[in-house]
Every structure is written in structure tokens, then in C-alpha cells.
Amino acid sequence: MTTGATPPASAWVRVCAPSELLPGESRVAWDGDTPILVVNLDGTLYALEDRCSHEDVELSAGTFDAATASVECMLHGARFDVRDGSALCAPAYAPVASFPVRVDDTGVWTRDDRG
Ligand code: FES
């Protein structure tokens, strides 16, 4: 999670109100063409590209499991660590991109910071 000075609003995409993303829940937002899955893991927010690295499938269609800090792809069962996007099991070996998240009084925000 990122804190500190507020960046230009145009650089960040609003995901939802803070009250709409409670522990164990997830939301999807889009930054341009990039789908971003934002999850609340025991009160800490993380954002991953919502696209399995095995094939082009939305991870948000799978299962977010807070107990293992992972999201499981619904197509072939690969799992990714929501904290850094690393692949935890086959058939996915490449990580998915992780993105910054910040929270303020107006909402939960994320962005594709890959340039
Ligand atoms: S598409 Fe996700 S595991 Fe195959």
C-alpha cells in the first residue's frame, strides 16, 4: 500500500469507496486497457493485473483466498500470491504484474505504473 503525498488525480484510477472493499473482498478497476484486481487481505490492500499469466483469463473470475493470500485462476488452477503477483503453482510460472494502491477519504485508488 502506498501512502504519502497525493499524486495527480489523473494518474490514479478510483476503484471504489473504502467501505466497499472489506477484508476478504475484491474489486476490479480498469486503467486504460489494463484490468486491475484489488483485494483486501486482512486490512491491507493489494493490486494485481487481472490477467492470468498462463492464458488470457481474468483472475477475478477465480477465487481470492485470504487464508493463503492467493488468488486461484478458475481455468486451470494456477495460484498467485496477491502480495507480489508471484506464481505459486503450475501451470503458471510467470508472475502477474502488481500495482500500487492508496486509500484516502474519497476512495481506493490504483494505477498501472509500468509507464
Ligand atoms: S489460464 Fe490461468 S491457469 Fe491456465
Side-chain angles (χ1 to χ4, degrees):
M1 187 179 314
T2 302
T3 58
T6 302
S10 61
W12 291 78
V13 175
R14 187 175 187 275
V15 179
C16 62
S19 62
E20 294 173 324
L21 188 54
L22 300 176
E25 294 184 338
S26 62
R27 298 280 174 181
V28 176
W30 288 80
D31 185 356
D33 293 334
T34 304
I36 301 176
L37 173 64
V38 183
V39 303
N40 184 328
L41 177 64
D42 298 329
T44 302
L45 303 184
Y46 297 96
L48 302 176
E49 185 168 10
D50 188 18
R51 187 176 286 148
C52 185
S53 64
H54 180 233
E55 291 181 13
D56 189 8
V57 172
E58 304 88 0
L59 290 174
S60 57
T63 304
F64 166 46
D65 180 9
T68 58
S70 66
V71 60
E72 181 175 320
C73 179
M74 52 81 77
L75 194 55
H76 306 114
R79 288 186 298 110
F80 298 89
D81 191 320
V82 298
R83 295 166 294 191
D84 61 7
S86 59
L88 298 174
C89 69
Y93 299 97
V96 296
S98 62
F99 302 123
V101 181
R102 70 179 181 86
V103 181
D104 61 25
D105 291 343
T106 65
V108 175
W109 303 82
T110 189
R111 65 190 175 104
D112 182 346
D113 61 350
R114 293 176 292 186

